[in-house]
């Protein structure tokens, strides 16, 4: 099977951690780089989380530190959801993993240049790194096959404010740059994270006896997403991975995309349009997707 060269940009983050574990466990993905970005928590914490999770569960995949703050706004965070350290109450143990680069944007560019075919770019946080990439290297857009992004909402509603999804809200200028870049984007919009939510009990049950499963117990202790409800995890970021690995579980709706950088920063509209340049995902079968996520989280358990 032809492996897909992918680059992952993330702000771990509890649902990022789950999405990363799905990616690391898939034989279909050839992960060339994991790059952190400030988002759910600050860049030091998202980088530390990305480094540990990648080296422990992904093997020798390079890890780079990305942007510490949005292009032109003050950084915000979602530590009230993901915990002070970004992965619930889990404390990363002492380890000797070493970051491969402090300049994530350059690393993304080098990884794209090195790929033998256009790579798939996966974004799970604010798209500050990608906007910086396009500003520094305008040719980069031609090196990307598709961007799969967990960002935005279809209808101008939100989770961090009543009108903005968190990743779009953190850096709307960056999202506007990426929308205007000409890259083909597949959006995994906000409502999918609420539709595709998993019960923490089911996840812990499936992961019983595995090292990642034992980590999750402490991760969930410090995780609270009101939108998902007590005892559930909103699987926002996992939808991106499943859309790549199991596209048959989704409808790809061709659309236009816009983001507000003014009065309602981060408010987005993804409007169905047969001539649109983008797609947004709709889940075809939520029960099948939930089962797929559970089995893809713990391939070692099959
Ligand atoms: O709005 C949900 C998104 O914001 C997810 O990617 C979550 O991890 C946070 O980054
Ligand atoms: Ca995220």
């Amino acid at each position: 099977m032809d492996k897909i060269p992918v680059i992952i940009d993330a702000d771990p983050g509890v649902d990022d951690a789950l999405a990363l574990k799905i990616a690391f466990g898939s034989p279909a993905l050839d992960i060339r780089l994991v790059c952190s970005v400030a988002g759910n928590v600050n860049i030091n914490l998202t980088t530390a989380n990305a480094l540990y999770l990648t080296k422990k569960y992904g093997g020798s995949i390079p890890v780079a530190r990305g942007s510490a703050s949005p292009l032109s706004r003050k950084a915000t965070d979602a530590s009230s959801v993901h915990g002070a350290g970004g992965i619930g109450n889990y404390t990363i143990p002492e380890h000797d993993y070493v970051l491969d680069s402090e300049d994530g944007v350059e690393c993304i560019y080098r990884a794209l240049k090195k790929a033998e075919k256009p790579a798939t770019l996966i974004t799970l946080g604010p798209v500050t790194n990608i906007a910086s990439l396009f500003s520094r290297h305008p040719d980069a857009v031609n090196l990307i096959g598709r961007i799969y992004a967990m960002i935005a909402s279809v209808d101008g509603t939100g989770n961090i404010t009543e009108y903005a999804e968190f990743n779009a809200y953190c850096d709307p200028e960056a999202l506007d740059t990426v929308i205007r870049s000409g890259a083909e984007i597949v959006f995994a919009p906000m409502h999918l994270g609420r539709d595709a939510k998993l019960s923490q009990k089911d996840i812990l049950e499936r992961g019983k006896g595995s090292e990642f499963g034992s980590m999750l117990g402490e991760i969930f202790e410090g995780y609270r997403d009101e939108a998902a409800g007590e005892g559930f995890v909103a699987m926002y970021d996992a939808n991106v991975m499943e859309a790549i690995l199991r596209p048959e579980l989704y409808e790809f709706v061709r659309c236009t995309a816009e983001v507000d950088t003014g009065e309602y920063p981060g408010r987005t509209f993804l409007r169905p349009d047969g001539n649109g340049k983008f797609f947004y995902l709709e889940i075809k079968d939520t029960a099948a997707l939930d089962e797929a996520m559970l089995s893809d989280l713990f391939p070692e358990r099959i």
Side-chain angles (χ1 to χ4, degrees):
M1 161 187 25
D2 242 3
K3 283 196 162 210
I4 310 167
V6 303
I7 293 163
I8 303 175
D9 197 73
D11 62 332
V14 172
D15 63 315
D16 301 68
L18 294 169
L20 286 169
K21 178 66 169 61
I22 290 171
F24 297 150
S26 166
L29 300 181
D30 174 9
I31 305 169
R32 304 292 176 88
L33 173 70
V34 172
C35 186
S36 63
V37 64
N40 283 317
V41 285
N42 70 47
I43 191 64
N44 294 329
L45 292 168
T46 57
T47 304
N49 297 337
L51 176 63
Y52 180 71
L53 290 163
T54 304
K55 299 297 185 183
K56 184 156 181 70
Y57 294 104
S60 58
I61 299 168
V63 180
R65 176 192 174 99
S67 306
S69 58
L71 295 181
S72 56
R73 290 176 188 261
K74 240 167 55 59
T76 182
D77 77 33
S79 50
S80 59
V81 173
H82 296 268
I87 41 177
N89 285 355
Y90 185 76
T91 304
I92 294 174
E94 286 297 309
H95 62 78
D96 55 4
Y97 302 136
V98 177
L99 201 60
D100 297 271
S101 169
E102 295 284 339
D103 188 344
V105 172
E106 282 315 299
C107 276
I108 293 173
Y109 184 58
R110 283 201 294 271
L112 286 169
K113 297 276 281 180
K114 210 168 144 205
E116 59 294 342
K117 60 183 178 183
T120 294
L121 187 52
I122 293 170
T123 70
L124 308 178
V127 290
T128 312
N129 292 335
I130 315 311
S132 305
L133 169 75
F134 290 157
S135 306
R136 278 197 225 168
H137 303 286
D139 65 309
V141 71
N142 305 317
L143 303 171
I144 296 168
R146 240 183 191 178
I147 297 175
Y148 282 78
M150 192 284 129
I151 196 164
S153 68
V154 294
D155 58 1
T157 57
N159 53 8
I160 184 78
T161 68
E162 62 179 302
Y163 54 76
E165 179 278 322
F166 179 79
N167 289 335
Y169 179 77
C170 283
D171 200 341
E173 287 73 18
L175 177 54
D176 193 44
T177 298
V178 174
I179 286 171
R180 295 173 190 279
S181 70
E184 184 174 83
I185 306 169
V186 176
F187 289 88
M190 180 185 76
H191 69 279
L192 301 194
R194 301 174 170 175
D195 298 348
K197 61 183 184 183
L198 291 180
S199 98
Q200 294 173 18
K201 189 166 154 291
D202 288 350
I203 297 176
L204 294 173
E205 186 57 37
R206 190 68 67 99
K208 205 177 267 174
S210 72
E211 196 157 0
F212 188 68
S214 61
M215 230 183 106
L216 284 173
E218 289 178 67
I219 287 181
F220 291 155
E221 274 167 22
Y223 167 80
R224 285 281 170 290
D225 184 326
E226 271 151 46
E230 186 64 30
F232 284 88
V233 185
M235 299 296 280
Y236 294 107
D237 293 338
N239 276 296
V240 170
M241 302 306 174
E242 295 297 346
I244 296 169
L245 297 173
R246 302 169 183 266
E248 70 281 3
L249 295 179
Y250 294 87
E251 195 192 339
F252 287 63
V253 181
R254 192 171 275 284
C255 68
T256 59
E258 68 174 74
V259 58
D260 187 326
T261 56
E263 192 181 356
Y264 299 97
R267 182 175 64 173
T268 53
F269 290 96
L270 304 176
R271 295 187 175 92
D273 181 329
N275 300 316
K277 289 191 296 184
F278 310 113
F279 296 91
Y280 72 79
L281 299 166
E282 288 288 6
I283 298 169
K284 280 185 182 166
D285 180 339
T286 305
L289 175 59
D290 286 355
E291 179 48 40
M293 288 191 290
L294 280 171
S295 56
D296 292 345
L297 267 172
F298 301 102
E300 66 273 25
R301 309 282 295 149
I302 294 168

